[in-house]
Amino acid sequence: MAQRLLDLYDTQGEESSLDGAHTAASQALSIVPVSDDQRVATLTCLGQVLLRRYRHRGDQSKLEESLTRSREALQLCSEDSETRPFVLSNVGEALLYQFFRNEKQETYQEAINLLREATWLLKPGNPRSSTVHFTLGTALVCRYSKETLSEDLDESISLFRQVLESASTSPFHQRPRAVTMLVSVLSIRSLIDNNPQALDEAVTLAREALASTQQQHPSRPGILTCLGLALYHQYQRVGGKAKLEEAHSQIDEACRTVLPGTLSLDELYGAAAAHLSLYQREDAREEVAQAISMWRQLTALTTPGGPLWTASMIKLGSALGRRHRIRGRKEDLAEAISGSEQLLQLMGASNPLRVTVLGNLGNQLLNRYYYDCIPEDVTRATAVFREALSAVDRQLPPIVKTRILSNLGRALWAGYGESSGQVSLLDEAVAVFRKAVNCAPTEYSSRTTLLINLASAMFSQYTTESLTEGIEICREALTEVHDDHPHRS
């Protein structure tokens, strides 16, 4: 009965089914003798029920109890039992959720070892193999977030594809989560390889999963968030107002669907990320405040230096920077700068997020310079952008290099003004802006801004050649904006 109620919850998402499964599994465990063969199955079922309750409500005690019950089942399960692969998988899954909280290497490594053993024990054609493959794929993504091994990313993509292919011929209740994971990993791959096809596939998969997921299903907010963020990444790559509006629509629904106070760590991160993408709106004060609150919760719940803490600190800095632009609170900008500096101290030189943090810190310092005119800030910002640019050659997308070049040009131009006319800084700013324009991908959404900055810097050079070319660049910028574009004036 407990297993049937759990299956009902997995397919329909009704909390009453989960409560009923918990009650039935607990009662069954109290009456099944320790020596009974059914005790392994009962402990396994109860462990899964408790893990679902943790995911649904974020109660840490349920996670600990789930891991305890799953380990008990593994101790009682014989080496030659047909159910052993799935008992191993259950322990591995519980360990992964523990990793989301403690972010310790030994936690995800134990999970991977158990899941590798489970895959070796699986018999070909087992209809439940998708569960093991999904959990192993998730574990590899966790290790990738720590160690950035490309083979982990590739294997996880292969496993998630395998899961979705087999799910069409055998029941698999985690299909929505498998789609969410595959969409997320494909988005990472598209960023690393500058591969728009991977991002297009991610959007297509998310749309298909959303169409087949019931309104009340617990995985629906995650799918909405993934779709919205993937669309937003597409917008950042090629522009398009319709794409941005659709991204906002999906994320709005995700934020309305998720209930604050019932979020586990992965759901909390998704909801906060959704709020962050809403900052493109001018009336985003409420979203900014909600996201800052969520990012603060995540940084308090996670281990400094870990992958989720790192990602949350980066997003918190962006949110604080946005609130500073809206309200002009100096303490927000100071906190954002302090957070970026802390991140850089804890990051290794090869960390793929280091370029992002360097770019954020440079912008934060430059913004403070514009407000407070502290000469040291523009000098530091220039040095930070130079460091980011030196690290950007690791096959990162052109859009990343474009942004760093643009920001370095802004810092050099500001330094020219601060230095009372050091011409070498102005000439370098023009050269850097020109590189940014040439590097920008086709239909880059901020290309007009690049052209305006280049032309303005050339006007400051005040030579016949620079004035003439600057005018032509302005004409080019005019041809690329609509009559109602905010930059047209």
Side-chain angles (χ1 to χ4, degrees), residues 141 144 152-154 156-158 160-161 164 178-206 208 226 229-230 233-234 237 397:
V141 173
Y144 173 80
D152 283 343
L153 200 61
D154 294 336
S156 69
I157 291 174
S158 176
F160 292 137
R161 290 192 192 281
L164 294 180
V179 171
T180 301
M181 289 299 298
L182 181 55
V183 168
S184 299
V185 176
L186 286 171
S187 297
I188 295 171
R189 175 54 74 196
S190 72
L191 177 65
I192 294 173
D193 295 344
N194 189 26
N195 181 2
Q197 287 76 29
L199 195 56
D200 293 342
E201 182 185 358
V203 170
T204 300
L205 284 169
E208 293 174 354
C226 280
L229 293 177
H233 291 324
Q234 281 189 330
R237 180 181 290 275

mmCIF file of all heavy atoms in Angstrom, residues 141 144 152-154 156-158 160-161 164 178-206 208 226 229-230 233-234 237 397:
data_model
loop_
_atom_site.group_PDB
_atom_site.id
_atom_site.type_symbol
_atom_site.label_atom_id
_atom_site.label_comp_id
_atom_site.label_asym_id
_atom_site.label_seq_id
_atom_site.Cartn_x
_atom_site.Cartn_y
_atom_site.Cartn_z
ATOM 1 N N VAL A 141 27.064 15.185 -12.084
ATOM 2 C CA VAL A 141 26.910 16.639 -12.181
ATOM 3 C C VAL A 141 27.406 17.301 -10.897
ATOM 4 O O VAL A 141 28.056 18.357 -10.930
ATOM 5 C CB VAL A 141 25.438 17.014 -12.452
ATOM 6 C CG1 VAL A 141 25.252 18.535 -12.367
ATOM 7 C CG2 VAL A 141 25.004 16.528 -13.830
ATOM 8 N N TYR A 144 31.075 17.321 -11.083
ATOM 9 C CA TYR A 144 31.507 18.333 -12.042
ATOM 10 C C TYR A 144 31.488 19.727 -11.416
ATOM 11 O O TYR A 144 32.387 20.541 -11.655
ATOM 12 C CB TYR A 144 30.620 18.316 -13.283
ATOM 13 C CG TYR A 144 30.936 19.454 -14.230
ATOM 14 C CD1 TYR A 144 32.011 19.368 -15.101
ATOM 15 C CD2 TYR A 144 30.179 20.625 -14.218
ATOM 16 C CE1 TYR A 144 32.326 20.414 -15.949
ATOM 17 C CE2 TYR A 144 30.492 21.678 -15.064
ATOM 18 C CZ TYR A 144 31.562 21.568 -15.923
ATOM 19 O OH TYR A 144 31.875 22.616 -16.749
ATOM 20 N N ASP A 152 32.862 14.025 -16.769
ATOM 21 C CA ASP A 152 31.679 13.869 -15.919
ATOM 22 C C ASP A 152 30.461 14.507 -16.581
ATOM 23 O O ASP A 152 29.353 13.954 -16.563
ATOM 24 C CB ASP A 152 31.907 14.498 -14.548
ATOM 25 C CG ASP A 152 32.770 13.638 -13.640
ATOM 26 O OD1 ASP A 152 32.923 12.442 -13.943
ATOM 27 O OD2 ASP A 152 33.279 14.151 -12.635
ATOM 28 N N LEU A 153 30.669 15.687 -17.165
ATOM 29 C CA LEU A 153 29.570 16.380 -17.839
ATOM 30 C C LEU A 153 29.078 15.557 -19.027
ATOM 31 O O LEU A 153 27.868 15.376 -19.223
ATOM 32 C CB LEU A 153 30.045 17.750 -18.295
ATOM 33 C CG LEU A 153 28.977 18.804 -18.586
ATOM 34 C CD1 LEU A 153 28.170 19.109 -17.352
ATOM 35 C CD2 LEU A 153 29.626 20.070 -19.133
ATOM 36 N N ASP A 154 30.004 15.031 -19.821
ATOM 37 C CA ASP A 154 29.631 14.243 -20.997
ATOM 38 C C ASP A 154 28.895 12.961 -20.597
ATOM 39 O O ASP A 154 27.899 12.591 -21.227
ATOM 40 C CB ASP A 154 30.878 13.894 -21.812
ATOM 41 C CG ASP A 154 31.537 15.119 -22.424
ATOM 42 O OD1 ASP A 154 30.826 16.122 -22.618
ATOM 43 O OD2 ASP A 154 32.752 15.066 -22.707
ATOM 44 N N SER A 156 27.205 12.403 -17.866
ATOM 45 C CA SER A 156 25.879 12.723 -17.313
ATOM 46 C C SER A 156 24.879 12.990 -18.431
ATOM 47 O O SER A 156 23.725 12.547 -18.362
ATOM 48 C CB SER A 156 25.972 13.928 -16.371
ATOM 49 O OG SER A 156 26.256 15.121 -17.069
ATOM 50 N N ILE A 157 25.308 13.699 -19.475
ATOM 51 C CA ILE A 157 24.419 13.949 -20.617
ATOM 52 C C ILE A 157 23.999 12.625 -21.247
ATOM 53 O O ILE A 157 22.820 12.408 -21.560
ATOM 54 C CB ILE A 157 25.111 14.857 -21.655
ATOM 55 C CG1 ILE A 157 25.274 16.272 -21.100
ATOM 56 C CG2 ILE A 157 24.323 14.888 -22.964
ATOM 57 C CD1 ILE A 157 26.065 17.206 -22.000
ATOM 58 N N SER A 158 24.969 11.723 -21.426
ATOM 59 C CA SER A 158 24.667 10.410 -22.001
ATOM 60 C C SER A 158 23.688 9.625 -21.145
ATOM 61 O O SER A 158 22.743 9.009 -21.656
ATOM 62 C CB SER A 158 25.974 9.622 -22.172
ATOM 63 O OG SER A 158 25.721 8.319 -22.644
ATOM 64 N N PHE A 160 21.448 10.842 -18.916
ATOM 65 C CA PHE A 160 20.118 11.452 -18.930
ATOM 66 C C PHE A 160 19.400 11.176 -20.251
ATOM 67 O O PHE A 160 18.182 10.959 -20.278
ATOM 68 C CB PHE A 160 20.219 12.963 -18.673
ATOM 69 C CG PHE A 160 20.667 13.318 -17.284
ATOM 70 C CD1 PHE A 160 21.602 14.315 -17.072
ATOM 71 C CD2 PHE A 160 20.161 12.642 -16.183
ATOM 72 C CE1 PHE A 160 22.028 14.645 -15.797
ATOM 73 C CE2 PHE A 160 20.577 12.965 -14.892
ATOM 74 C CZ PHE A 160 21.514 13.960 -14.699
ATOM 75 N N ARG A 161 20.142 11.165 -21.357
ATOM 76 C CA ARG A 161 19.529 10.809 -22.645
ATOM 77 C C ARG A 161 19.036 9.362 -22.600
ATOM 78 O O ARG A 161 17.954 9.040 -23.096
ATOM 79 C CB ARG A 161 20.542 10.979 -23.782
ATOM 80 C CG ARG A 161 20.916 12.408 -24.107
ATOM 81 C CD ARG A 161 21.676 12.447 -25.422
ATOM 82 N NE ARG A 161 22.316 13.716 -25.667
ATOM 83 C CZ ARG A 161 21.684 14.802 -26.117
ATOM 84 N NH1 ARG A 161 20.378 14.753 -26.337
ATOM 85 N NH2 ARG A 161 22.352 15.927 -26.337
ATOM 86 N N LEU A 164 15.790 9.118 -20.679
ATOM 87 C CA LEU A 164 14.614 9.591 -21.412
ATOM 88 C C LEU A 164 14.225 8.630 -22.532
ATOM 89 O O LEU A 164 13.041 8.453 -22.820
ATOM 90 C CB LEU A 164 14.883 10.978 -21.979
ATOM 91 C CG LEU A 164 15.077 12.091 -20.933
ATOM 92 C CD1 LEU A 164 15.342 13.420 -21.608
ATOM 93 C CD2 LEU A 164 13.865 12.191 -20.030
ATOM 94 N N ALA A 178 14.449 14.207 -14.767
ATOM 95 C CA ALA A 178 15.510 13.871 -15.718
ATOM 96 C C ALA A 178 15.592 14.926 -16.814
ATOM 97 O O ALA A 178 16.688 15.324 -17.240
ATOM 98 C CB ALA A 178 15.265 12.490 -16.321
ATOM 99 N N VAL A 179 14.436 15.393 -17.278
ATOM 100 C CA VAL A 179 14.423 16.454 -18.291
ATOM 101 C C VAL A 179 15.048 17.725 -17.716
ATOM 102 O O VAL A 179 15.854 18.395 -18.368
ATOM 103 C CB VAL A 179 12.980 16.728 -18.764
ATOM 104 C CG1 VAL A 179 12.940 17.969 -19.649
ATOM 105 C CG2 VAL A 179 12.435 15.533 -19.520
ATOM 106 N N THR A 180 14.666 18.065 -16.476
ATOM 107 C CA THR A 180 15.215 19.258 -15.840
ATOM 108 C C THR A 180 16.727 19.190 -15.751
ATOM 109 O O THR A 180 17.440 20.151 -16.054
ATOM 110 C CB THR A 180 14.618 19.432 -14.430
ATOM 111 O OG1 THR A 180 13.195 19.542 -14.536
ATOM 112 C CG2 THR A 180 15.153 20.678 -13.760
ATOM 113 N N MET A 181 17.246 18.014 -15.347
ATOM 114 C CA MET A 181 18.695 17.856 -15.233
ATOM 115 C C MET A 181 19.370 17.947 -16.603
ATOM 116 O O MET A 181 20.397 18.605 -16.763
ATOM 117 C CB MET A 181 19.026 16.519 -14.570
ATOM 118 C CG MET A 181 18.688 16.446 -13.089
ATOM 119 S SD MET A 181 19.598 17.660 -12.088
ATOM 120 C CE MET A 181 21.295 17.142 -12.375
ATOM 121 N N LEU A 182 18.787 17.289 -17.608
ATOM 122 C CA LEU A 182 19.382 17.318 -18.946
ATOM 123 C C LEU A 182 19.377 18.735 -19.512
ATOM 124 O O LEU A 182 20.356 19.174 -20.128
ATOM 125 C CB LEU A 182 18.641 16.368 -19.879
ATOM 126 C CG LEU A 182 19.188 16.276 -21.318
ATOM 127 C CD1 LEU A 182 20.665 15.922 -21.326
ATOM 128 C CD2 LEU A 182 18.397 15.256 -22.133
ATOM 129 N N VAL A 183 18.280 19.464 -19.297
ATOM 130 C CA VAL A 183 18.205 20.844 -19.761
ATOM 131 C C VAL A 183 19.303 21.683 -19.108
ATOM 132 O O VAL A 183 19.988 22.471 -19.764
ATOM 133 C CB VAL A 183 16.811 21.440 -19.462
ATOM 134 C CG1 VAL A 183 16.810 22.952 -19.675
ATOM 135 C CG2 VAL A 183 15.752 20.797 -20.364
ATOM 136 N N SER A 184 19.490 21.494 -17.798
ATOM 137 C CA SER A 184 20.508 22.260 -17.077
ATOM 138 C C SER A 184 21.905 21.938 -17.591
ATOM 139 O O SER A 184 22.733 22.838 -17.808
ATOM 140 C CB SER A 184 20.417 21.961 -15.575
ATOM 141 O OG SER A 184 19.163 22.319 -15.061
ATOM 142 N N VAL A 185 22.189 20.640 -17.804
ATOM 143 C CA VAL A 185 23.518 20.238 -18.238
ATOM 144 C C VAL A 185 23.781 20.691 -19.677
ATOM 145 O O VAL A 185 24.895 21.119 -20.014
ATOM 146 C CB VAL A 185 23.687 18.706 -18.094
ATOM 147 C CG1 VAL A 185 25.039 18.263 -18.632
ATOM 148 C CG2 VAL A 185 23.574 18.293 -16.637
ATOM 149 N N LEU A 186 22.769 20.604 -20.529
ATOM 150 C CA LEU A 186 22.933 21.094 -21.899
ATOM 151 C C LEU A 186 23.201 22.602 -21.922
ATOM 152 O O LEU A 186 23.969 23.095 -22.758
ATOM 153 C CB LEU A 186 21.690 20.770 -22.729
ATOM 154 C CG LEU A 186 21.519 19.306 -23.153
ATOM 155 C CD1 LEU A 186 20.143 19.090 -23.777
ATOM 156 C CD2 LEU A 186 22.617 18.892 -24.140
ATOM 157 N N SER A 187 22.572 23.326 -21.007
ATOM 158 C CA SER A 187 22.820 24.770 -20.923
ATOM 159 C C SER A 187 24.267 25.041 -20.540
ATOM 160 O O SER A 187 24.915 25.948 -21.078
ATOM 161 C CB SER A 187 21.867 25.410 -19.910
ATOM 162 O OG SER A 187 20.518 25.276 -20.321
ATOM 163 N N ILE A 188 24.802 24.247 -19.603
ATOM 164 C CA ILE A 188 26.216 24.381 -19.220
ATOM 165 C C ILE A 188 27.110 24.072 -20.421
ATOM 166 O O ILE A 188 28.070 24.790 -20.711
ATOM 167 C CB ILE A 188 26.551 23.438 -18.049
ATOM 168 C CG1 ILE A 188 25.780 23.850 -16.792
ATOM 169 C CG2 ILE A 188 28.050 23.448 -17.756
ATOM 170 C CD1 ILE A 188 25.894 22.854 -15.653
ATOM 171 N N ARG A 189 26.773 22.981 -21.123
ATOM 172 C CA ARG A 189 27.576 22.579 -22.277
ATOM 173 C C ARG A 189 27.557 23.660 -23.359
ATOM 174 O O ARG A 189 28.572 23.928 -24.004
ATOM 175 C CB ARG A 189 27.058 21.247 -22.815
ATOM 176 C CG ARG A 189 27.708 20.753 -24.095
ATOM 177 C CD ARG A 189 29.207 20.693 -23.982
ATOM 178 N NE ARG A 189 29.672 19.581 -23.172
ATOM 179 C CZ ARG A 189 30.904 19.500 -22.681
ATOM 180 N NH1 ARG A 189 31.771 20.471 -22.911
ATOM 181 N NH2 ARG A 189 31.266 18.464 -21.956
ATOM 182 N N SER A 190 26.404 24.286 -23.572
ATOM 183 C CA SER A 190 26.314 25.332 -24.598
ATOM 184 C C SER A 190 27.192 26.518 -24.246
ATOM 185 O O SER A 190 27.772 27.162 -25.129
ATOM 186 C CB SER A 190 24.859 25.784 -24.768
ATOM 187 O OG SER A 190 24.417 26.553 -23.661
ATOM 188 N N LEU A 191 27.312 26.820 -22.953
ATOM 189 C CA LEU A 191 28.161 27.928 -22.517
ATOM 190 C C LEU A 191 29.628 27.601 -22.719
ATOM 191 O O LEU A 191 30.408 28.411 -23.225
ATOM 192 C CB LEU A 191 27.893 28.243 -21.041
ATOM 193 C CG LEU A 191 28.761 29.329 -20.407
ATOM 194 C CD1 LEU A 191 28.500 30.678 -21.056
ATOM 195 C CD2 LEU A 191 28.525 29.409 -18.908
ATOM 196 N N ILE A 192 30.021 26.380 -22.343
ATOM 197 C CA ILE A 192 31.429 25.989 -22.435
ATOM 198 C C ILE A 192 31.872 25.886 -23.890
ATOM 199 O O ILE A 192 32.958 26.338 -24.256
ATOM 200 C CB ILE A 192 31.647 24.643 -21.715
ATOM 201 C CG1 ILE A 192 31.402 24.811 -20.203
ATOM 202 C CG2 ILE A 192 33.047 24.105 -21.965
ATOM 203 C CD1 ILE A 192 31.441 23.518 -19.445
ATOM 204 N N ASP A 193 31.022 25.289 -24.735
ATOM 205 C CA ASP A 193 31.406 25.022 -26.127
ATOM 206 C C ASP A 193 30.968 26.104 -27.099
ATOM 207 O O ASP A 193 31.231 25.982 -28.298
ATOM 208 C CB ASP A 193 30.801 23.683 -26.582
ATOM 209 C CG ASP A 193 31.371 22.500 -25.828
ATOM 210 O OD1 ASP A 193 32.425 22.676 -25.193
ATOM 211 O OD2 ASP A 193 30.764 21.420 -25.861
ATOM 212 N N ASN A 194 30.269 27.122 -26.594
ATOM 213 C CA ASN A 194 29.680 28.123 -27.487
ATOM 214 C C ASN A 194 28.831 27.434 -28.553
ATOM 215 O O ASN A 194 28.968 27.680 -29.753
ATOM 216 C CB ASN A 194 30.772 28.975 -28.144
ATOM 217 C CG ASN A 194 30.200 30.166 -28.897
ATOM 218 O OD1 ASN A 194 29.117 30.648 -28.566
ATOM 219 N ND2 ASN A 194 30.909 30.633 -29.901
ATOM 220 N N ASN A 195 27.952 26.550 -28.080
ATOM 221 C CA ASN A 195 27.158 25.692 -28.964
ATOM 222 C C ASN A 195 25.683 26.049 -28.845
ATOM 223 O O ASN A 195 24.997 25.579 -27.923
ATOM 224 C CB ASN A 195 27.394 24.225 -28.579
ATOM 225 C CG ASN A 195 26.621 23.266 -29.468
ATOM 226 O OD1 ASN A 195 25.940 23.676 -30.405
ATOM 227 N ND2 ASN A 195 26.718 21.989 -29.162
ATOM 228 N N PRO A 196 25.150 26.889 -29.735
ATOM 229 C CA PRO A 196 23.738 27.272 -29.639
ATOM 230 C C PRO A 196 22.788 26.093 -29.848
ATOM 231 O O PRO A 196 21.658 26.119 -29.376
ATOM 232 C CB PRO A 196 23.579 28.322 -30.748
ATOM 233 C CG PRO A 196 24.711 28.073 -31.689
ATOM 234 C CD PRO A 196 25.833 27.539 -30.868
ATOM 235 N N GLN A 197 23.235 25.042 -30.571
ATOM 236 C CA GLN A 197 22.369 23.876 -30.795
ATOM 237 C C GLN A 197 22.017 23.190 -29.474
ATOM 238 O O GLN A 197 20.890 22.717 -29.292
ATOM 239 C CB GLN A 197 23.044 22.871 -31.737
ATOM 240 C CG GLN A 197 23.104 23.301 -33.193
ATOM 241 C CD GLN A 197 24.160 24.349 -33.449
ATOM 242 O OE1 GLN A 197 25.174 24.401 -32.750
ATOM 243 N NE2 GLN A 197 23.941 25.186 -34.461
ATOM 244 N N ALA A 198 22.988 23.130 -28.543
ATOM 245 C CA ALA A 198 22.719 22.518 -27.242
ATOM 246 C C ALA A 198 21.659 23.310 -26.489
ATOM 247 O O ALA A 198 20.778 22.737 -25.833
ATOM 248 C CB ALA A 198 24.002 22.431 -26.423
ATOM 249 N N LEU A 199 21.708 24.636 -26.590
ATOM 250 C CA LEU A 199 20.713 25.474 -25.922
ATOM 251 C C LEU A 199 19.353 25.319 -26.585
ATOM 252 O O LEU A 199 18.312 25.273 -25.902
ATOM 253 C CB LEU A 199 21.171 26.937 -25.965
ATOM 254 C CG LEU A 199 20.462 27.898 -25.017
ATOM 255 C CD1 LEU A 199 20.556 27.428 -23.578
ATOM 256 C CD2 LEU A 199 21.066 29.289 -25.154
ATOM 257 N N ASP A 200 19.324 25.216 -27.911
ATOM 258 C CA ASP A 200 18.059 24.991 -28.622
ATOM 259 C C ASP A 200 17.428 23.667 -28.198
ATOM 260 O O ASP A 200 16.208 23.575 -27.997
ATOM 261 C CB ASP A 200 18.295 24.983 -30.137
ATOM 262 C CG ASP A 200 18.725 26.344 -30.670
ATOM 263 O OD1 ASP A 200 18.507 27.346 -29.956
ATOM 264 O OD2 ASP A 200 19.279 26.401 -31.777
ATOM 265 N N GLU A 201 18.270 22.626 -28.066
ATOM 266 C CA GLU A 201 17.752 21.333 -27.631
ATOM 267 C C GLU A 201 17.199 21.425 -26.215
ATOM 268 O O GLU A 201 16.164 20.815 -25.904
ATOM 269 C CB GLU A 201 18.854 20.279 -27.695
ATOM 270 C CG GLU A 201 18.363 18.886 -27.298
ATOM 271 C CD GLU A 201 19.470 17.851 -27.252
ATOM 272 O OE1 GLU A 201 20.627 18.189 -27.565
ATOM 273 O OE2 GLU A 201 19.169 16.699 -26.873
ATOM 274 N N ALA A 202 17.880 22.174 -25.357
ATOM 275 C CA ALA A 202 17.420 22.334 -23.979
ATOM 276 C C ALA A 202 16.028 22.967 -23.941
ATOM 277 O O ALA A 202 15.146 22.520 -23.192
ATOM 278 C CB ALA A 202 18.413 23.182 -23.189
ATOM 279 N N VAL A 203 15.817 23.987 -24.761
ATOM 280 C CA VAL A 203 14.511 24.655 -24.807
ATOM 281 C C VAL A 203 13.429 23.692 -25.308
ATOM 282 O O VAL A 203 12.329 23.614 -24.748
ATOM 283 C CB VAL A 203 14.576 25.910 -25.703
ATOM 284 C CG1 VAL A 203 13.177 26.473 -25.949
ATOM 285 C CG2 VAL A 203 15.471 26.967 -25.064
ATOM 286 N N THR A 204 13.743 22.942 -26.364
ATOM 287 C CA THR A 204 12.776 21.986 -26.923
ATOM 288 C C THR A 204 12.391 20.934 -25.889
ATOM 289 O O THR A 204 11.200 20.614 -25.706
ATOM 290 C CB THR A 204 13.360 21.304 -28.169
ATOM 291 O OG1 THR A 204 13.654 22.298 -29.143
ATOM 292 C CG2 THR A 204 12.373 20.306 -28.758
ATOM 293 N N LEU A 205 13.381 20.372 -25.200
ATOM 294 C CA LEU A 205 13.108 19.351 -24.185
ATOM 295 C C LEU A 205 12.252 19.916 -23.043
ATOM 296 O O LEU A 205 11.328 19.251 -22.564
ATOM 297 C CB LEU A 205 14.428 18.821 -23.622
ATOM 298 C CG LEU A 205 15.204 17.846 -24.494
ATOM 299 C CD1 LEU A 205 16.607 17.633 -23.925
ATOM 300 C CD2 LEU A 205 14.465 16.511 -24.586
ATOM 301 N N ALA A 206 12.567 21.113 -22.610
ATOM 302 C CA ALA A 206 11.809 21.714 -21.517
ATOM 303 C C ALA A 206 10.362 21.966 -21.927
ATOM 304 O O ALA A 206 9.435 21.749 -21.144
ATOM 305 C CB ALA A 206 12.474 23.013 -21.075
ATOM 306 N N GLU A 208 8.621 20.240 -24.155
ATOM 307 C CA GLU A 208 7.961 18.938 -24.212
ATOM 308 C C GLU A 208 7.623 18.434 -22.818
ATOM 309 O O GLU A 208 6.525 17.909 -22.574
ATOM 310 C CB GLU A 208 8.845 17.935 -24.941
ATOM 311 C CG GLU A 208 9.033 18.232 -26.425
ATOM 312 C CD GLU A 208 10.041 17.309 -27.085
ATOM 313 O OE1 GLU A 208 10.684 16.511 -26.365
ATOM 314 O OE2 GLU A 208 10.204 17.380 -28.325
ATOM 315 N N CYS A 226 13.714 26.090 -15.518
ATOM 316 C CA CYS A 226 14.720 25.712 -16.517
ATOM 317 C C CYS A 226 14.369 26.267 -17.892
ATOM 318 O O CYS A 226 15.244 26.771 -18.608
ATOM 319 C CB CYS A 226 14.853 24.189 -16.584
ATOM 320 S SG CYS A 226 15.877 23.515 -15.279
ATOM 321 N N LEU A 229 14.884 30.134 -17.848
ATOM 322 C CA LEU A 229 16.293 30.515 -17.851
ATOM 323 C C LEU A 229 16.962 30.174 -19.185
ATOM 324 O O LEU A 229 17.822 30.923 -19.663
ATOM 325 C CB LEU A 229 17.027 29.847 -16.693
ATOM 326 C CG LEU A 229 16.605 30.310 -15.292
ATOM 327 C CD1 LEU A 229 17.350 29.529 -14.222
ATOM 328 C CD2 LEU A 229 16.827 31.802 -15.111
ATOM 329 N N ALA A 230 16.589 29.036 -19.785
ATOM 330 C CA ALA A 230 17.148 28.684 -21.091
ATOM 331 C C ALA A 230 16.729 29.709 -22.147
ATOM 332 O O ALA A 230 17.533 30.129 -22.993
ATOM 333 C CB ALA A 230 16.703 27.280 -21.500
ATOM 334 N N HIS A 233 18.762 32.768 -21.622
ATOM 335 C CA HIS A 233 20.105 32.617 -22.179
ATOM 336 C C HIS A 233 20.083 32.795 -23.700
ATOM 337 O O HIS A 233 21.013 33.376 -24.279
ATOM 338 C CB HIS A 233 20.684 31.249 -21.827
ATOM 339 C CG HIS A 233 20.996 31.080 -20.378
ATOM 340 N ND1 HIS A 233 21.483 32.105 -19.605
ATOM 341 C CD2 HIS A 233 20.884 30.013 -19.549
ATOM 342 C CE1 HIS A 233 21.668 31.682 -18.371
ATOM 343 N NE2 HIS A 233 21.311 30.412 -18.306
ATOM 344 N N GLN A 234 19.031 32.284 -24.351
ATOM 345 C CA GLN A 234 18.896 32.501 -25.793
ATOM 346 C C GLN A 234 18.768 33.991 -26.107
ATOM 347 O O GLN A 234 19.366 34.491 -27.060
ATOM 348 C CB GLN A 234 17.678 31.747 -26.326
ATOM 349 C CG GLN A 234 17.893 30.261 -26.548
ATOM 350 C CD GLN A 234 16.723 29.623 -27.270
ATOM 351 O OE1 GLN A 234 15.574 30.060 -27.146
ATOM 352 N NE2 GLN A 234 16.997 28.582 -28.032
ATOM 353 N N ARG A 237 21.985 35.684 -25.966
ATOM 354 C CA ARG A 237 22.864 35.337 -27.081
ATOM 355 C C ARG A 237 22.464 36.075 -28.356
ATOM 356 O O ARG A 237 23.321 36.602 -29.065
ATOM 357 C CB ARG A 237 22.830 33.820 -27.323
ATOM 358 C CG ARG A 237 23.709 33.358 -28.470
ATOM 359 C CD ARG A 237 23.593 31.864 -28.656
ATOM 360 N NE ARG A 237 24.208 31.139 -27.572
ATOM 361 C CZ ARG A 237 25.501 30.834 -27.503
ATOM 362 N NH1 ARG A 237 26.315 31.210 -28.473
ATOM 363 N NH2 ARG A 237 25.984 30.169 -26.486
ATOM 364 N N PRO A 397 32.560 31.428 -24.580
ATOM 365 C CA PRO A 397 31.805 31.994 -25.706
ATOM 366 C C PRO A 397 32.245 33.418 -26.037
ATOM 367 O O PRO A 397 32.666 34.167 -25.147
ATOM 368 C CB PRO A 397 30.354 31.972 -25.199
ATOM 369 C CG PRO A 397 30.331 30.952 -24.124
ATOM 370 C CD PRO A 397 31.682 30.994 -23.491
#
